[in-house]
């Protein structure tokens, strides 16, 4: 009787167009092919707050490893393929996580390649530079300081961070540069995803590059729903 009742409930949910129950990664179109995943979900595209959750795939099932409140861009979220630089929006999509960096030493247990920020560490955001959307140390000659992030000046926000691979492999000029998962500042971000410091430290201690973790950023529903990625 119980199985029949569960089947009836599931059928009713499907008939109403509701997503079947289960862990979020199991309802996504793609999780990157690894056995670790970070999801960053906002209620809607205009939101500046949401939730970051990190997951492990164990025995064929996704299990939640941790969760924390998150901040998004001051102008909300937008589909990554339509994003424009300087709009203070967080791009949605599924992205790899190339490496970690920080002004402070890597938290205990960090397995990711971790770059320490120095006085001459920059992230080039100059659309006219060959170093566009890349770490530049020292700053590339063709990259204007006014069009770049001087990483050490970001203080506690860049105490620890993970590079989000948005527009990274084959950068499209004007789409955006320097999108990270980093420590919270005072408010919304300029397009990154941020979490409390203790959560960032836990994520770095958890993430294993050998398990090919990705980050999926999206909304709870609509055209930018995280389940579409």
């Amino acid at each position: 009787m119980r199985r029949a009742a569960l089947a009836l409930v599931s059928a009713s949910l499907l008939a109403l167009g509701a997503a079947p129950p289960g862990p979020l990664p199991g309802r996504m179109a793609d999780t990157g092919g690894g056995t670790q995943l970070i999801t960053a979900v906002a209620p809607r595209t205009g939101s500046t707050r949401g939730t970051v959750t990190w997951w492990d795939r164990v025995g064929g099932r996704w299990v939640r490893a941790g969760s924390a409140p998150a901040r998004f861009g001051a102008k909300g979220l937008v589909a990554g393929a339509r994003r424009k630089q300087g709009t203070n929006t967080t791009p949605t999509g599924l992205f790899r996580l190339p490496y970690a960096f920080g002004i402070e030493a890597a938290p205990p247990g960090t397995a990711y390649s971790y770059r320490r920020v120095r006085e001459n560490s920059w992230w080039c955001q100059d659309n006219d530079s060959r170093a566009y959307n890349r770490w530049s140390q020292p700053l590339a000659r063709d990259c204007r300081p006014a069009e770049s992030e001087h990483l050490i000046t970001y203080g506690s926000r860049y105490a620890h961070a993970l590079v989000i691979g948005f527009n990274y492999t084959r950068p499209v000029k004007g789409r955006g540069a320097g999108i990270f998962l980093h420590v919270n500042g005072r408010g919304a971000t300029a397009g990154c995803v941020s979490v409390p410091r203790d959560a960032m430290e836990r994520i770095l201690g958890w993430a294993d590059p050998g398990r090919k973790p990705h980050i999926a950023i999206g909304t709870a529903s609509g055209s930018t729903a995280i389940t579409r990625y």
Side-chain angles (χ1 to χ4, degrees):
M1 291 292 292
R2 185 177 180 183
R3 289 184 179 179
L6 288 172
L8 181 60
V9 170
S10 297
S12 299
L13 288 171
L14 289 171
L16 292 171
L24 175 58
R27 293 183 270 119
M28 291 173 56
D30 189 5
T31 57
T35 57
Q36 287 189 329
L37 179 71
I38 300 171
T39 55
V41 186
R44 56 192 65 86
T45 54
S47 302
T48 60
R49 296 176 181 268
T51 304
V52 160
T53 306
W54 48 108
W55 308 81
D56 289 302
R57 189 164 179 80
V58 181
R61 293 179 59 84
W62 286 101
V63 179
R64 187 172 73 93
S67 186
R71 302 299 300 266
F72 297 98
K75 298 296 184 181
L77 298 85
V78 68
R82 295 192 291 105
R83 186 181 188 272
K84 294 183 180 179
Q85 187 164 325
T87 55
N88 288 340
T89 53
T90 297
T92 65
L94 177 69
F95 310 106
R96 64 190 186 93
L97 298 161
Y99 59 89
F101 70 89
I103 292 173
E104 298 181 18
T110 300
Y112 251 84
S113 174
Y114 190 93
R115 294 187 178 183
R116 286 295 299 274
V117 173
R118 307 299 183 189
E119 182 61 39
N120 63 343
S121 303
W122 296 74
W123 195 274
C124 181
Q125 298 181 343
D126 188 338
N127 282 282
D128 295 326
S129 174
R130 289 175 293 178
Y132 179 71
N133 202 20
R134 287 292 185 273
W135 178 289
S136 187
Q137 185 173 319
L139 187 64
R141 290 183 179 181
D142 68 345
C143 191
R144 292 168 290 178
E147 298 293 325
S148 303
E149 287 191 1
H150 191 192
L151 299 177
I152 203 165
T153 65
Y154 283 74
S156 60
R157 285 171 291 175
Y158 288 175
H160 309 295
L162 269 167
V163 176
I164 295 176
F166 166 72
N167 199 32
Y168 189 80
T169 303
R170 295 181 179 85
V172 176
K173 301 294 181 69
R175 183 162 291 171
I179 302 297
F180 312 128
L181 174 62
H182 64 76
V183 176
N184 280 342
R186 293 183 177 179
T189 73
C192 296
V193 179
S194 70
V195 293
R197 182 186 175 113
D198 68 314
M200 193 68 234
E201 291 175 348
R202 283 186 286 146
I203 289 170
L204 284 175
W206 159 85
D208 179 355
R211 296 177 64 186
K212 300 179 180 178
H214 285 64
I215 185 168
I217 305 170
T219 52
S221 60
S223 62
T224 54
I226 197 166
T227 51
R228 297 172 64 93
Y229 300 115

